[in-house]
Amino acid sequence: MGFVNALAPLRLARSGQADKALNKLASSSFSRIFRLVLPATAATIISWFICNIGLYRTAGMSDAFWLTTTTPRPSTTWLQALQDLLAGLSATWRYGPENPYDQPQWALIYLLQGSFMVISALFLTAAMTPAWRTVTISVLVCWSLNWSWLIGDPWTGLSCFAGIILAEMSLSGVPEALSDVSHILSPSTILLALLLMSYPSGYPEAAGWSKWMYELGVRFLPADNLDRMYGSLGGILLVFGILVSPHARWALSQKPLEWLGQVSFAIYLLHGMLLRTVFAWVLHLGQPLAPFGHHGDDGQQYWIERYPVPGFFQCALATLVLAACVGGASHLWNMKLEPLFAKMTAKLEGLVTGKYSIEVKSTDTPILPIRKD
């Protein structure tokens, strides 16, 4: 996130156009809010409607862990459904509760938080030389570790500020200077990054390699949100490994991967509801319900009928169908809805900056009576 958001302002700052960089940042600070809020709101409303007409029923009765734990139940009445929708919309932008209609949106508040971190840091350093800007952002990287540990966020500052440093590096001569050793440096860095990013979010002791990473992390890294820390470090190393490799940059600039990057936010917003609908339908197609035993808080065993997780081939088929549906739906989202969100954001930005104004038509009849004495 820090890498992408910082590239354009840094280009302007490095070319001596600090004023233009600051203007761009001022515009971004407003537009970033609505470019996150509007699509997320639309996705939540769609998921809410799908839920309340009963299309999540199969997912809610699945024994697949993610499906059964993240699938919301329909509201009892449509009036209650409206109240639940408002609660879900607000939950996306508050710390603590998750949006029940689109659980993956838990990360959006950190994306918004990170965007303002990046904008604030670039405001602070836009007039600096690249070297001093890098030093300052490096200090912020270290500082962010402390506040992330205190507030319990998923190491947002680390990813954002390190992303700015990587963006600065990409505009410098460092990638070219390392090109001679990139055939060794890049693959090893990328493999290490993928290993770090593979660290599981739960039960790391279940496998030898993740148990070793857990013990290493507890010893040398902050123990809170260790999976997020490994993921953040892996993401930083992955970007670095790509930047120093001409071959990796060439491969990632091909049209299929460019398209994937363009629809990535739509994929993020839509994959949850498609997992609970199309994926669940194909996954449990033709399956009867089976009883599963569970233990309550009081230790008593009770039985629930659920759809059992099928074999490999049906899981693979459901995954392929899901991939096709997510790709198609994300493409349509980008073609039809994203331009609408962009226009709405531009109108709102123009309104608050004075480029557009709301005309209030006057009438001949006064609102209040006029004395005629």
Side-chain angles (χ1 to χ4, degrees):
M1 176 172 53
F3 180 86
V4 174
N5 291 346
L7 273 176
L10 286 178
R11 282 197 185 98
L12 292 171
R14 291 175 71 94
S15 64
Q17 303 179 75
D19 290 341
K20 287 186 177 180
L22 292 173
N23 287 334
K24 185 171 184 61
L25 289 168
S27 174
S28 298
S29 63
F30 179 85
S31 62
R32 175 58 54 180
I33 298 173
F34 289 97
R35 292 313 304 271
L36 286 175
V37 171
L38 292 176
T41 300
T44 297
I45 292 173
I46 294 170
S47 180
W48 164 82
F49 181 74
I50 290 173
C51 171
N52 280 284
I53 61 174
L55 296 184
Y56 284 165
R57 180 179 178 276
T58 301
M61 299 183 70
S62 172
D63 194 51
F65 177 79
W66 189 87
L67 290 178
T68 192
T69 55
T70 66
T71 300
R73 303 294 186 264
S75 304
T76 53
T77 65
W78 280 103
L79 179 60
Q80 181 63 47
L82 289 174
Q83 296 175 359
D84 293 340
L85 172 62
L86 294 176
L89 290 171
S90 65
T92 299
W93 308 107
R94 291 186 291 127
Y95 292 106
E98 291 183 349
N99 182 342
Y101 298 106
D102 200 1
Q103 183 270 342
Q105 288 193 22
W106 69 267
L108 284 181
I109 190 171
Y110 299 111
L111 288 176
L112 185 61
Q113 172 191 336
S115 296
F116 286 119
M117 285 182 177
V118 172
I119 290 168
S120 300
L122 292 175
F123 260 118
L124 174 68
T125 60
M128 295 182 181
T129 64
W132 280 109
R133 183 163 46 242
T134 302
V135 170
T136 304
I137 300 299
S138 299
V139 172
L140 290 178
V141 169
C142 299
W143 190 22
S144 72
L145 296 176
N146 176 254
W147 75 58
S148 289
W149 177 73
L150 288 174
I151 69 176
D153 76 7
W155 310 106
T156 307
L158 171 64
S159 301
C160 293
F161 297 137
I164 298 176
I165 295 174
L166 289 169
E168 190 81 66
M169 188 190 81
S170 72
L171 299 173
S172 69
V174 173
E176 286 71 22
L178 295 175
S179 60
D180 291 339
V181 295
S182 65
H183 62 286
I184 298 173
L185 181 61
S186 178
S188 57
T189 304
I190 290 174
L191 287 174
L192 175 60
L194 294 176
L195 173 65
L196 294 175
M197 295 169 72
S198 299
Y199 183 81
S201 59
Y203 307 105
E205 68 280 358
W209 66 273
S210 56
K211 182 180 179 181
W212 175 80
M213 289 180 65
Y214 171 77
E215 293 171 351
L216 186 70
V218 169
R219 185 175 180 182
F220 295 105
L221 297 173
D224 293 336
N225 287 330
L226 192 57
D227 56 325
R228 305 295 179 192
M229 171 61 80
Y230 274 131
S232 297
L233 292 175
I236 293 165
L237 289 175
L238 181 63
V239 174
F240 175 80
I242 293 168
L243 287 178
V244 300
S245 171
H247 302 294
R249 295 200 303 270
W250 174 85
L252 292 173
S253 64
Q254 301 308 300
K255 287 187 176 180
L257 293 179
E258 281 189 355
W259 171 82
L260 190 62
Q262 291 168 1
V263 301
S264 59
F265 189 51
I267 290 174
Y268 168 76
L269 291 174
L270 298 177
H271 79 278
M273 67 181 79
L274 290 171
L275 275 167
R276 299 187 191 101
T277 51
V278 176
F279 178 79
W281 298 340
V282 178
L283 185 70
H284 298 300
L285 182 65
Q287 281 190 312
L289 291 168
F292 286 84
H294 294 268
H295 289 87
D297 295 335
D298 56 358
Q300 295 285 334
Q301 187 178 31
Y302 61 96
W303 297 87
I304 297 178
E305 286 194 331
R306 295 192 181 280
Y307 293 108
V309 177
F312 171 79
F313 289 105
Q314 193 157 347
C315 289
L317 175 62
T319 303
L320 291 174
V321 173
L322 172 69
C325 291
V326 168
S330 300
H331 182 72
L332 286 174
W333 181 282
N334 256 36
M335 294 289 292
K336 302 298 183 182
L337 292 181
E338 278 300 327
L340 177 62
F341 299 143
K343 288 181 181 178
M344 294 172 66
T345 301
K347 290 287 186 182
L348 289 168
E349 185 178 355
L351 181 64
V352 300
T353 56
K355 295 177 182 177
Y356 305 111
S357 59
I358 300 175
E359 295 184 3
V360 180
K361 295 182 179 180
S362 61
T363 60
D364 295 334
T365 305
I367 296 175
L368 297 176
I370 300 176
R371 292 179 60 180
K372 297 181 180 180
D373 52 0

